[in-house]
Amino acid sequence: GLRVVTTFDKDDQADAVAAVDQVRPGGLDELHTALVSIQPGTGAVRALYGGPDYLESQLNWATLKTQPGSTFKAFAVVAALEHGYSLQSRLNGNAPLKIGDDEIENQGDSGGRSYGYVSLERATQFSVNTAFADLTDQMEDGPERILEAAREAGIPEDTIAEISPVLGVSLGYAPVAPIDMA
């Protein structure tokens, strides 16, 4: 006699599963894929993929905390734009970059490439780790401002409280659930 009302959409859910099946590389059992699709404007969850088979693993990777990596850089961009930076602001994209006791590398598709001085726009386009570390260092109270932007975007307070405000915060080192990132 219960009526269940949800924001999930059957067709969107089928599309989410198909999308994961299409892009997930084979042979990587340690790779846990998650997908969360939300409706812009309302934040309603339309589809969620937390793993291939609940009977084999009851872990829902869409709701478990994991490193968001470079997706966390979006909060650094927001913080920068809210505090006087523009997309044309220049940042140090050289690699490796030493700031205090920290040494930052560019990783991923760049293969460790050094970008020289780049605009915030280009640093975002190419996900330049060193430029984001430089931005975090340059911005007054940079780590705290990035975490504040994440909080304002909807990352739960209990998750924010677990993230240390350090130079590498924009690089997504600290665990955040994919559903919260969405």
Side-chain angles (χ1 to χ4, degrees):
L2 295 177
R3 180 172 180 222
V4 177
V5 178
T6 179
T7 60
F8 285 79
D9 179 89
K10 182 181 177 195
D11 292 335
D12 290 348
Q13 183 65 36
D15 289 345
V17 172
V20 169
D21 288 345
Q22 184 178 27
V23 300
R24 189 180 192 286
L28 296 175
D29 293 338
E30 70 280 3
L31 177 66
H32 301 290
T33 305
L35 182 149
V36 179
S37 175
I38 62 164
Q39 182 173 334
T42 68
V45 178
R46 306 300 288 170
L48 184 141
Y49 179 93
D53 189 339
Y54 182 78
L55 296 177
E56 286 186 25
S57 172
Q58 292 74 46
L59 299 176
N60 183 336
W61 294 99
T63 59
L64 290 174
K65 292 179 182 177
T66 187
Q67 289 183 329
S70 292
T71 59
F72 213 80
K73 289 175 181 167
F75 304 126
V77 172
V78 169
L81 295 176
E82 288 180 341
H83 293 93
Y85 289 78
S86 79
L87 292 177
Q88 299 316 310
S89 294
R90 306 294 287 171
L91 304 167
N92 189 346
N94 289 309
L97 179 65
K98 188 146 176 72
I99 299 175
D101 291 335
D102 296 310
E103 186 170 293
I104 299 91
E105 299 278 346
N106 290 324
Q107 299 174 351
D109 293 339
S110 76
R113 176 179 166 199
S114 191
Y115 287 84
Y117 281 82
V118 295
S119 67
L120 176 56
E121 179 179 28
R122 186 167 170 83
T124 303
Q125 180 182 6
F126 291 98
S127 193
V128 182
N129 286 353
T130 54
F132 277 90
D134 183 41
L135 172 66
T136 304
D137 185 52
Q138 280 186 33
M139 196 176 356
E140 185 177 338
D141 299 321
E144 292 83 0
R145 288 184 173 186
I146 292 166
L147 290 174
E148 181 58 29
R151 178 183 295 108
E152 290 173 357
I155 301 299
E157 184 59 43
D158 63 327
T159 298
I160 296 291
E162 295 174 357
I163 302 175
S164 296
V166 296
L167 181 66
V169 71
S170 67
L171 306 182
Y173 80 90
V176 180
I179 194 166
D180 294 332
M181 289 299 293

